[in-house]
């Protein structure tokens, strides 16, 4: 039984998809105007664990992710510049080039973190007609009004507005007003109202703009996600036309917890107003990464990229391992020391896998012993308890200890570790045992001779030579084990 914490109901619930074993999963993608930092990427690692857990529980997952390549303004309250157009000006490139460049960079980072790619990646600019069609339905139903700068959604007309953030309409309005981040444009009826369609400014030529029944402009950030959801998982479009009666509820929608009060609240408001049906059954949110008492974010200037980790010699997977050491619903504090410990932990795990592989060739059809079957159950229980990765890792470490202490069968142990890694995604399947290069073999033989004749200084010198070539040297009771230092 898989239990997940649902932000909407504020409790852990048994997961029940709408269509048997088929699950629709939507994850909010990046706004592609700069590199994703490791704080952003924590959310994608959490969503990857969610997806892998669903697959592990024999669900067929249809994973959809958007790319926000237009309409996300520098302020979430629909003021300021379009983030992508702004970067295009700064970098002297076209808005489309910026979007393409940072989309590729984002997908590359995800690959380095061993995040499984979505089934569908949907850039917002490819669904402009669908956006217009959904806004027309909202207009017909009386949810919209026009201002000088766009078509807005009137949140006071929405039933249960703010339910995801556990605040009613008044409370959410007061809260947003208290937060200095939101400035109320004079024509907006309520502070929580948001733009569905923004008009291009008459003073400035935009690169990304399209004609619409209301005027030339571009869609708002929140409607883009609603449209892509309804198109692929809600089956509510016939070609580019929105058919409200056809809309289906979606199983899971996930994202970072910062999206709850505005972006996801507004996605719900639009879709439920347009369809009259529940939008999403399970809402899952991942917590922040914290750096020196501040949330990591581009606006605070507190940013570390995957590239920065690599430059300092860390494997991106050591960051994944660090993330898995905290529960996704708890803030995680990043420090270089913590990353260092994570890299050490990951190295120890890969040494253990290497050890198993040295002892026996893996064989996936092998049966597990009762002790290992029990550990598999323990692991599954942890991960199915709202994706408790720290607990699942503790089971993994228990397996490693038991392997060395109780001399477990290496084939079976490797088999179980591989099962664990289908969820953890630490890249352990990439570890292979190759014959040592001849140069290393010769050095090793020379070192053995020195050791046998008690020439310790010379032996130690050769050890350093081997290490300088990227190999580690371990003298064990069963002989010397030489292996590559970086296996993944
Ligand atoms: Zn979104």
């Amino acid at each position: 039984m898989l239990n997940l914490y649902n932000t909407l109901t504020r409790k852990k619930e048994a997961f029940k998809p709408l269509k048997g074993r088929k699950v629709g999963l939507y994850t909010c993608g990046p706004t592609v105007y700069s590199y994703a930092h490791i704080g952003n990427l924590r959310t994608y690692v959490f969503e990857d664990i969610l997806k892998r857990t669903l697959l592990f529980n024999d669900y067929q997952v249809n994973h959809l992710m958007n790319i926000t390549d237009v309409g996300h303004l520098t302020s979430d309250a629909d003021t300021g510049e379009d983030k992508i157009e702004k970067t295009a000006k700064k970098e002297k490139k076209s808005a489309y080039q910026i979007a393409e460049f940072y989309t590729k960079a984002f997908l590359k980072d995800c690959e380095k973190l061993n995040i499984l790619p979505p089934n569908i990646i949907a850039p917002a600019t490819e669904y402009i007609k669908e956006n217009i069609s959904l806004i027309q339905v909202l207009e017909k139903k009386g949810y919209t009004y026009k201002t000088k700068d766009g078509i807005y959604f009137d949140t006071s007309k929405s039933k249960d507005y703010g339910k995801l953030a556990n605040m009613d309409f008044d409370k959410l309005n007061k809260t947003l007003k208290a937060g200095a981040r939101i400035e109320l444009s004079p024509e907006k009826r309520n502070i929580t109202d948001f733009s569905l369609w923004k008009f291009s400014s008459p003073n400035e030529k935009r690169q990304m703009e399209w004609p619409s029944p209301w005027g030339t402009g571009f869609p708002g950030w929140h409607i883009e996600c609603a449209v892509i959801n309804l198109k692929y998982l809600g089956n509510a479009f016939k070609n580019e036309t929105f058919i409200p009666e056809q809309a289906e509820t979606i199983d899971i929608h996930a994202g970072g917890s910062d999206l709850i009060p505005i972006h996801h609240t507004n996605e719900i408001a639009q879709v439920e107003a347009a369809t009259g049906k529940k939008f999403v059954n399970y809402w899952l949110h991942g917590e922040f990464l914290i750096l020196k008492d501040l949330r990591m974010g581009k606006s605070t200037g507190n940013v570390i990229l995957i590239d920065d980790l690599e430059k300092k010699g860390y494997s991106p997977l050591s960051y994944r391992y660090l993330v898995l050491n905290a529960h996704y619903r708890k803030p995680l504090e990043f420090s270089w020391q913590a990353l260092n410990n994570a890299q050490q932990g990951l190295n120890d795990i890969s040494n253990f896998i290497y050890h198993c592989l040295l002892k026996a060739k893996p064989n996936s059809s092998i049966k597990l012993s009762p002790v290992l079957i029990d550990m598999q159950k323990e692991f599954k229980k942890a991960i199915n308890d709202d994706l408790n990765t720290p607990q699942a890792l503790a089971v993994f470490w228990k397996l490693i200890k038991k392997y060395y202490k109780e001399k477990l069968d290496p084939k079976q142990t490797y088999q179980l570790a591989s099962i664990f890694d289908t969820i953890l995604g630490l890249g352990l399947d990439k570890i292979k045992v190759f014959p040592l290069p001849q140069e290393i073999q010769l050095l090793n033989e020379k070192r053995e001779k020195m050791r046998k004749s008690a020439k310790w200084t010379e032996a130690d010198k050769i050890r350093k030579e081997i290490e300088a070539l990227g190999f580690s040297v371990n003298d064990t009771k069963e002989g010397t084990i030489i292996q590559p230092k970086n296996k993944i």
Side-chain angles (χ1 to χ4, degrees):
M1 175 80 81
L2 171 60
N3 288 292
L4 298 171
Y5 182 87
N6 190 349
T7 310
L8 198 58
T9 56
R10 277 159 283 279
K11 57 178 190 242
K12 264 191 227 172
E13 291 175 3
F15 175 65
K16 288 191 199 88
L18 291 161
K19 293 179 185 168
R21 305 309 296 175
K22 288 187 178 155
V23 177
L25 167 67
Y26 185 87
T27 56
C28 282
T31 302
V32 282
Y33 71 105
S34 68
Y35 292 106
H37 58 69
I38 57 170
N40 302 134
L41 292 164
R42 182 186 180 195
T43 305
Y44 297 96
V45 171
F46 136 64
E47 291 163 345
D48 188 52
I49 294 290
L50 168 63
K51 179 173 164 182
R52 286 170 180 266
T53 300
L54 290 163
L55 293 168
F56 185 64
N57 282 278
D58 294 323
Y59 290 111
Q60 296 154 35
V61 182
N62 188 13
H63 177 201
L64 167 65
M65 183 183 75
N66 75 304
I67 298 283
T68 303
D69 54 358
V70 70
H72 195 166
L73 303 187
T74 42
S75 142
D76 285 352
D78 299 315
T79 56
E81 281 179 86
D82 186 312
K83 291 183 178 186
I84 288 155
E85 298 256 346
K86 190 180 168 188
T87 308
K89 263 185 245 159
K90 204 171 82 190
E91 296 191 13
K92 297 194 171 50
K93 287 187 184 135
S94 80
Y96 288 95
Q97 280 172 328
I98 292 294
E100 196 194 343
F101 179 83
Y102 288 110
T103 300
K104 276 193 188 147
F106 168 76
L107 294 175
K108 186 86 204 145
D109 282 345
C110 288
E111 200 187 315
K112 285 182 182 171
L113 288 168
N114 211 12
I115 291 171
L116 300 173
N119 302 76
I120 307 168
I121 297 177
T125 46
E126 290 177 16
Y127 304 91
I128 300 300
K129 285 185 180 155
E130 285 88 337
N131 276 273
I132 293 171
S133 178
L134 178 58
I135 300 167
Q136 281 176 316
V137 169
L138 289 169
E139 189 178 37
K140 246 183 244 157
K141 294 193 171 188
Y143 284 96
T144 67
Y145 61 94
K146 190 176 172 180
T147 72
K148 248 188 273 149
D149 73 351
I151 303 296
Y152 280 78
F153 185 96
D154 186 343
T155 52
S156 70
K157 297 207 169 137
S158 161
K159 197 173 84 165
D160 308 329
Y161 187 78
K163 64 183 168 188
L164 187 70
N166 200 18
M167 290 190 226
D168 63 14
F169 174 78
D170 288 334
K171 196 170 169 201
L172 202 50
N173 266 275
K174 267 187 209 143
T175 309
L176 291 185
K177 208 173 252 177
R181 282 172 60 213
I182 308 272
E183 47 175 287
L184 185 56
S185 105
E187 284 187 283
K188 254 165 82 164
R189 291 180 189 164
N190 310 288
I191 198 163
T192 42
D193 292 356
F194 55 93
S195 68
L196 298 164
W197 188 263
K198 270 278 224 191
F199 300 140
S200 297
S201 157
N203 312 321
E204 207 172 352
K205 175 77 185 143
R206 277 181 63 90
Q207 296 183 38
M208 288 175 163
E209 59 178 11
W210 297 267
S212 84
W214 312 281
T216 300
F218 55 98
W221 172 34
H222 317 306
I223 193 122
E224 293 170 3
C225 272
V227 160
I228 291 165
N229 263 291
L230 287 169
K231 174 133 184 151
Y232 289 109
L233 301 179
N235 299 313
F237 280 87
K238 193 175 176 208
N239 302 322
E240 288 145 349
T241 308
F242 175 56
I243 321 265
E245 310 78 60
Q246 235 176 259
E248 295 167 16
T249 299
I250 291 153
D251 291 309
I252 309 178
H253 194 316
S257 63
D258 54 330
L259 301 180
I260 297 171
I262 300 178
H263 183 54
H264 288 167
T265 290
N266 292 343
E267 274 191 54
I268 295 175
Q270 298 160 110
V271 174
E272 298 192 352
T275 66
K277 277 184 206 146
K278 189 179 185 187
F279 176 31
V280 170
N281 273 341
Y282 300 86
W283 284 91
L284 269 75
H285 292 97
E287 267 304 328
F288 295 136
L289 186 74
I290 296 167
L291 181 66
K292 285 182 203 142
D293 302 326
L294 278 169
R295 172 163 83 87
M296 189 175 289
K298 284 167 195 139
S299 53
T300 54
N302 244 7
V303 163
I304 297 173
L305 310 178
I306 288 294
D307 202 34
D308 297 327
L309 308 188
E310 287 183 301
K311 274 185 202 147
K312 286 189 182 242
Y314 294 103
S315 142
L317 290 171
S318 67
Y319 176 63
R320 183 176 174 109
Y321 181 78
L322 176 71
V323 166
L324 300 189
N325 268 290
H327 191 266
Y328 76 91
R329 283 196 288 119
K330 295 215 172 87
L332 167 63
E333 195 166 333
F334 178 85
S335 68
W336 291 105
Q337 184 55 48
L339 187 68
N340 214 41
N341 296 343
Q343 180 75 66
Q344 189 52 51
L346 187 61
N347 287 349
D348 290 349
I349 291 179
S350 25
N351 286 343
F352 150 75
I353 294 289
Y354 197 85
H355 196 266
C356 291
L357 287 170
L358 274 180
K359 297 269 170 178
K361 278 208 179 93
N363 176 353
S364 59
S365 59
I366 202 163
K367 275 209 174 112
L368 299 181
S369 68
V371 179
L372 294 181
I373 288 174
D374 282 348
M375 295 193 82
Q376 186 177 356
K377 282 184 191 155
E378 209 180 327
F379 183 91
K380 190 170 179 177
K381 197 176 157 205
I383 208 75
N384 278 355
D385 178 17
D386 193 29
L387 319 178
N388 192 339
T389 50
Q391 188 56 38
L393 280 173
V395 178
F396 201 157
W397 281 107
K398 198 166 135 186
L399 172 71
I400 295 174
K401 267 189 208 131
K402 251 188 194 313
Y403 170 78
Y404 288 120
K405 202 172 155 201
E406 296 175 21
K407 302 220 173 344
L408 297 178
D409 175 64
K411 259 189 215 169
Q412 291 183 25
T413 311
Y414 178 83
Q415 171 72 2
L416 183 58
S418 305
I419 295 170
F420 289 172
D421 204 43
T422 57
I423 300 228
L424 301 171
L426 297 171
L428 304 180
D429 55 336
K430 294 189 186 81
I431 300 174
K432 300 271 182 293
V433 174
F434 295 108
L436 290 173
Q438 212 188 358
E439 188 188 6
I440 305 290
Q441 280 183 37
L442 288 173
L443 282 169
N444 187 32
E445 281 163 22
K446 221 166 116 189
R447 181 170 177 265
E448 282 309 303
K449 265 190 212 156
M450 297 300 162
R451 273 159 55 88
K452 272 185 194 140
S453 42
K455 290 182 175 164
W456 305 115
T457 321
E458 284 89 340
D460 218 41
K461 224 175 112 189
I462 302 171
R463 163 204 279 273
K464 281 184 184 135
E465 268 181 66
I466 298 173
E467 283 174 347
L469 291 164
F471 290 79
S472 68
V473 182
N474 270 315
D475 298 316
T476 72
K477 274 184 224 152
E478 296 152 344
T480 302
I481 298 174
I482 298 186
Q483 44 184 294
K485 272 188 204 156
N486 298 320
K487 300 184 196 67
I488 345 177

